[in-house]
Amino acid sequence: MERRDFLRKAGLAATGAVAAAAGLAGCGQEKKEEAKGPAVQPKKTYEWKMVTTWPPNLPVLQTGAERFAKRVGEATGGQLKIEVFAGGELVPPLGVFDAVSEGTVECGSGASYYWAGKVPAAQWFAAVPFGFNAQGINAWFYSGGGLQLWEEVYAPFNVIPRPQGNTGVQMGGWFRKDMNTIDDYKGLKMRIPGLGGKVISKAGGTVVLLPGGEIFTSLERGVIDATEWVGPMHDLRMGFYKAAKNYYYPGWHEPGTCLEVMFNKKAYESLPVELQQTVDAVAAETNMWSLCEFEAGNGAALQTLISEHNVNLVRFPDQLMEDLRKLATETLEEEANKDPMSRKVHDAFLKFKAQVGVWGSVSENAYYNVIADKYALKK
Amino acid sequence: MERRDFLRKAGLAATGAVAAAAGLAGCGQEKKEEAKGPAVQPKKTYEWKMVTTWPPNLPVLQTGAERFAKRVGEATGGQLKIEVFAGGELVPPLGVFDAVSEGTVECGSGASYYWAGKVPAAQWFAAVPFGFNAQGINAWFYSGGGLQLWEEVYAPFNVIPRPQGNTGVQMGGWFRKDMNTIDDYKGLKMRIPGLGGKVISKAGGTVVLLPGGEIFTSLERGVIDATEWVGPMHDLRMGFYKAAKNYYYPGWHEPGTCLEVMFNKKAYESLPVELQQTVDAVAAETNMWSLCEFEAGNGAALQTLISEHNVNLVRFPDQLMEDLRKLATETLEEEANKDPMSRKVHDAFLKFKAQVGVWGSVSENAYYNVIADKYALKK
């Protein structure tokens, strides 16, 4: 075998160390320098593909996946390079889990509730109506056993999950009419996927599923009466304020949606341990970063919506919220009864929610009520 | 020019690529082995010392610094090893900043308000009365320019800071008497350091500074009337419930204290770029982890304090909070006027606080008020 061929076949030809060695190797003077220390093989490099469920350039979601890949490259000195493909570029957005599971690609980015049809218990790791906010779900993952449970849920599919982002509390959505009582959901056609949609169905609404690109037109033409999306930063981009004036809060259906990065088990385990650890650290870093981006970006966007686009910001009435809460509790019980793993996850979820809820009621709740300054939005 | 000199002068001598060339070069037997693939020198390893301001084994604070060091070791495959020394083991707790600044050690862990005497503007990066909670200060650091400002403040001392932890909202403290109005602070002897202490002084209280080991006895004997510490998890360990029955919330003086890791600039910059990036990622990971540990641990500890130790959990009256807020605003203005950098930091702090405050009022505030379930503490 020619040396060059050997290098290529070993997948090493692209490393800087090899190029340097090939260029500099020779006889004579260099021999003296051998005494410097033992020689070792250059580190193996890895070139991975990541597929995502997000449209190209979608802020924080797609750009967060890209940031993760970039930071992994930086922190490994290029030893692990991840090329990112937005939804549809390599596989369809909802084909991400299967592509990672089957090893078509080494990793993917999305949100676990997209896989509910295949993996019912996955729903608890993204967003649960009246469930955790970002701080709660992160505490569950990192300090309450939640991540281990999530790993258990994905293990039969040879997929390893890591939290990689969080939207923070989302908005309740855009409504063409006023929402005063739970009865106002009767006959309401709303674009709202997942568990939130199941709650709205229970309330008598008609859930309409639409891809992102069709929502605005449907809302504008009255094909749907309402839609939820993410929060001010993303909703502003979609122009929903032109089609519906009532912007309700809070997003009870997605109070802190976790975004995920997931790895094909074989690919992840083929990495040297230090690369696995680096990947994990960068996932946590990206998780933190993305919440910060939402936190920083949403305030300015909300102000723009109100002062430039005359949006009517409305809080859901308390009784309507309590009625939705009851329907959400029923919905979650029904989902939990579908299989033993869902029951196990749901029970663990509720237990940890009580643990952080006790503390939240005297810490962050009091922070927002009596420590944080009150800022009025300018009309 | 000798080849060795050339390499050194070109600044390449330490790179893996050149080391690889040196190791490989040669004639005779070595030449045969060349076919195996190029050999390179093993990567340079680094052995660092970290000093902290914390007592040995202090949960999340000292153990968080140790976790940071351990994770850096794992993620670099042992290339960067950090040995951690608790407060007093190598340098006094409050000597950490100087030790890092002077390069006595490569890194340290503490909280920036400890350095207020030397670096007044540093106070804004740890905890500010009626300032950011964890989510707010992290958004400021990572997505609002706060970290760049912090770097600017530490730069004259050759120190590079990174957020490395957060306590979340702390508790208001332990009081032997009832606190009904701001006048109840008159003559009150309280252990409360930093900016919070300045506010209490303005309210007519006497601020007493005591090391951690002397607080309990002083409170029990009535040498002081009140003390703050951290939150339920840490306060339970200190046994304060045996010396004062009123446990007030919320911790207006430290609503989300940031813990720091800091690096001697020369040491940090001597690392290959990928190690710098790994260190940064692990710092962010540890920052996230520590908040999760507080979030998970405080609820259980609070319940124990109430049900097993009959602690009287009391919320500061609203008017007292408003009076403290006014004094805090005055205090911060006075501090900001002390030097131009403090003014610059304070103004940036206030600006970003308004930006996230607008959003917080419709997102997390509503989350805690109307989405999160209400959990009653059991007597």
Side-chain angles (χ1 to χ4, degrees):
Chain A
M1 192 186 285
E2 291 287 311
R3 181 169 169 276
R4 180 175 291 189
D5 279 337
F6 172 83
L7 290 176
R8 193 179 303 121
K9 283 178 184 154
L12 298 173
T15 70
V18 170
L24 282 174
C27 294
Q29 192 191 333
E30 288 82 358
K31 192 158 187 182
K32 287 185 288 180
E33 301 192 349
E34 212 184 322
K36 275 186 183 171
V40 293
Q41 297 298 316
K43 288 194 173 171
K44 187 176 172 187
T45 59
Y46 299 82
E47 301 203 351
W48 278 14
K49 288 185 174 61
M50 169 187 271
V51 291
T52 84
T53 58
W54 318 116
N57 305 318
L58 188 66
V60 198
L61 303 160
Q62 177 64 16
T63 63
E66 287 162 4
R67 185 189 155 98
F68 168 79
K70 176 171 168 282
R71 292 285 297 134
V72 166
E74 289 171 353
T76 64
Q79 203 188 342
L80 173 53
K81 285 181 188 148
I82 303 177
E83 191 180 1
V84 182
F85 298 87
E89 288 180 355
L90 210 61
V91 304
L94 297 184
V96 166
F97 186 85
D98 285 345
V100 175
S101 174
E102 290 156 11
T104 314
V105 294
E106 291 83 2
C107 57
S109 181
S112 67
Y113 51 25
Y114 291 139
W115 329 123
K118 181 168 203 150
V119 195
Q123 298 177 93
W124 279 267
F125 306 109
V128 166
F130 295 92
F132 290 124
N133 65 349
Q135 194 155 313
I137 201 167
N138 283 326
W140 189 42
F141 286 140
Y142 299 118
S143 302
L147 181 53
Q148 287 95 316
L149 262 184
W150 194 2
E151 287 174 341
E152 198 179 326
V153 168
Y154 277 11
F157 305 93
N158 295 313
V159 175
I160 295 175
R162 294 286 179 265
Q164 182 230 276
N166 200 295
T167 65
V169 186
Q170 298 197 6
M171 288 292 286
W174 299 84
F175 293 75
R176 289 164 63 98
K177 66 171 194 169
D178 294 346
M179 300 301 289
N180 297 314
T181 75
I182 193 78
D183 290 338
D184 290 322
Y185 280 102
K186 283 186 182 139
L188 185 93
K189 294 189 290 294
M190 181 167 185
R191 184 266 174 199
I192 175 170
L195 291 166
K198 290 186 178 172
V199 174
I200 296 307
S201 291
K202 268 189 189 286
T206 302
V207 172
V208 182
L209 295 182
L210 293 169
E214 293 176 25
I215 304 174
F216 175 78
T217 310
S218 301
L219 186 64
E220 194 182 32
R221 294 186 185 163
V223 176
I224 55 174
D225 306 307
T227 187
E228 65 80 56
W229 188 236
V230 187
M233 186 170 40
H234 288 75
D235 293 9
L236 176 61
R237 281 176 101 236
M238 295 287 272
F240 294 137
Y241 59 87
K242 296 177 210 156
K245 279 294 171 202
N246 290 333
Y247 197 21
Y248 276 88
Y249 75 97
W252 54 270
H253 60 302
E254 300 206 26
T257 306
C258 174
L259 315 172
E260 67 186 351
V261 58
M262 49 193 170
F263 305 97
N264 175 273
K265 186 166 182 279
K266 200 171 153 192
Y268 183 88
E269 290 178 351
S270 76
L271 296 176
V273 174
E274 68 268 24
L275 287 199
Q276 295 175 9
Q277 302 296 332
T278 301
V279 157
D280 286 0
V282 173
E285 179 194 57
T286 313
N287 187 11
M288 169 75 89
W289 170 84
S290 74
L291 179 62
C292 292
E293 288 291 298
F294 277 107
E295 189 76 359
N298 275 330
L302 183 62
Q303 184 59 67
T304 300
L305 284 167
I306 287 171
S307 53
E308 293 182 24
H309 303 302
N310 293 310
V311 162
N312 188 27
L313 181 70
V314 201
R315 182 167 138 182
F316 284 120
D318 287 351
Q319 186 57 51
L320 186 152
M321 286 289 286
E322 287 315 304
D323 293 338
L324 287 171
R325 182 194 305 275
K326 281 183 209 117
L327 298 178
T329 304
E330 282 177 32
T331 302
L332 288 168
E333 273 300 313
E334 288 164 14
E335 294 297 311
N337 286 335
K338 285 188 177 168
D339 64 64
M341 184 54 91
S342 292
R343 168 56 60 192
K344 181 176 173 180
V345 173
H346 181 55
D347 289 352
F349 180 95
L350 289 185
K351 190 176 170 198
F352 194 76
K353 197 154 75 87
Q355 186 178 332
V356 294
V358 163
W359 174 234
S361 65
V362 303
S363 59
E364 294 290 350
N365 197 9
Y367 174 79
Y368 284 102
N369 284 335
V370 294
I371 295 179
D373 288 321
K374 299 291 172 283
Y375 297 94
L377 287 152
K378 295 177 202 78
K379 279 279 177 190
Chain B
M1 192 185 286
E2 292 286 310
R3 181 171 168 274
R4 181 177 290 191
D5 280 337
F6 169 78
L7 290 176
R8 194 178 303 121
K9 283 179 184 150
L12 297 173
T15 70
V18 171
L24 248 192
C27 296
Q29 193 193 329
E30 288 81 1
K31 196 156 189 181
K32 286 187 289 180
E33 299 194 347
E34 214 183 321
K36 278 187 187 171
V40 293
Q41 293 298 318
K43 285 194 175 171
K44 186 175 174 190
T45 57
Y46 300 82
E47 301 204 351
W48 279 14
K49 288 185 173 62
M50 169 188 271
V51 291
T52 84
T53 58
W54 319 116
N57 305 318
L58 189 67
V60 198
L61 304 160
Q62 177 65 14
T63 63
E66 287 162 3
R67 186 190 154 98
F68 168 79
K70 177 171 167 281
R71 292 285 297 134
V72 166
E74 289 171 353
T76 64
Q79 203 187 343
L80 173 53
K81 286 181 188 147
I82 303 177
E83 191 180 2
V84 183
F85 297 87
E89 288 180 355
L90 210 61
V91 304
L94 297 183
V96 166
F97 187 86
D98 284 345
V100 175
S101 174
E102 290 157 11
T104 314
V105 293
E106 292 83 3
C107 56
S109 181
S112 66
Y113 52 24
Y114 291 139
W115 329 124
K118 181 168 204 152
V119 196
Q123 298 177 93
W124 279 266
F125 305 109
V128 167
F130 295 92
F132 289 125
N133 65 349
Q135 194 154 312
I137 201 167
N138 283 326
W140 188 42
F141 286 140
Y142 299 118
S143 303
L147 181 53
Q148 287 94 316
L149 262 183
W150 194 2
E151 287 174 342
E152 198 179 326
V153 168
Y154 277 11
F157 305 92
N158 295 313
V159 175
I160 295 175
R162 294 285 179 264
Q164 182 230 276
N166 199 295
T167 65
V169 186
Q170 298 197 7
M171 287 293 287
W174 299 84
F175 293 76
R176 290 163 63 98
K177 66 170 194 171
D178 294 346
M179 300 302 289
N180 297 313
T181 75
I182 193 78
D183 290 338
D184 289 322
Y185 280 102
K186 284 188 181 138
L188 185 93
K189 295 189 290 293
M190 182 168 184
R191 184 267 175 199
I192 175 170
L195 291 166
K198 290 186 178 172
V199 174
I200 296 308
S201 291
K202 268 189 189 285
T206 302
V207 172
V208 182
L209 296 181
L210 293 169
E214 293 176 25
I215 304 174
F216 175 78
T217 310
S218 302
L219 186 64
E220 195 182 32
R221 294 186 185 163
V223 176
I224 55 175
D225 307 306
T227 187
E228 65 80 56
W229 188 237
V230 187
M233 185 169 42
H234 289 75
D235 293 10
L236 175 61
R237 281 176 100 235
M238 295 287 272
F240 294 137
Y241 59 87
K242 296 177 210 156
K245 279 293 171 201
N246 290 333
Y247 196 20
Y248 275 88
Y249 75 97
W252 54 270
H253 60 302
E254 300 206 25
T257 306
C258 174
L259 315 172
E260 68 186 350
V261 58
M262 49 193 169
F263 305 97
N264 175 272
K265 186 166 183 278
K266 199 171 153 193
Y268 183 88
E269 290 178 351
S270 76
L271 296 176
V273 173
E274 68 268 24
L275 286 199
Q276 295 175 9
Q277 302 296 332
T278 301
V279 157
D280 286 0
V282 172
E285 179 194 57
T286 313
N287 187 10
M288 169 75 89
W289 170 84
S290 74
L291 179 61
C292 292
E293 288 290 298
F294 277 107
E295 189 76 359
N298 275 331
L302 184 62
Q303 184 59 68
T304 301
L305 284 167
I306 288 171
S307 53
E308 293 182 23
H309 303 302
N310 293 312
V311 162
N312 188 26
L313 181 70
V314 201
R315 183 167 138 181
F316 284 120
D318 287 351
Q319 186 56 52
L320 186 151
M321 286 289 287
E322 288 315 304
D323 292 338
L324 287 171
R325 182 194 306 275
K326 280 182 210 118
L327 298 178
T329 303
E330 282 177 32
T331 302
L332 288 168
E333 273 300 313
E334 288 163 15
E335 294 297 310
N337 286 335
K338 285 188 177 169
D339 64 65
M341 184 54 90
S342 292
R343 168 55 61 192
K344 181 176 173 179
V345 173
H346 181 55
D347 289 352
F349 180 95
L350 289 185
K351 191 176 170 199
F352 194 76
K353 196 153 77 87
Q355 185 178 332
V356 294
V358 163
W359 173 234
S361 65
V362 303
S363 60
E364 295 289 350
N365 196 10
Y367 174 79
Y368 284 103
N369 284 334
V370 294
I371 295 179
D373 289 321
K374 298 291 172 283
Y375 297 94
L377 287 152
K378 295 177 202 78
K379 279 279 177 191

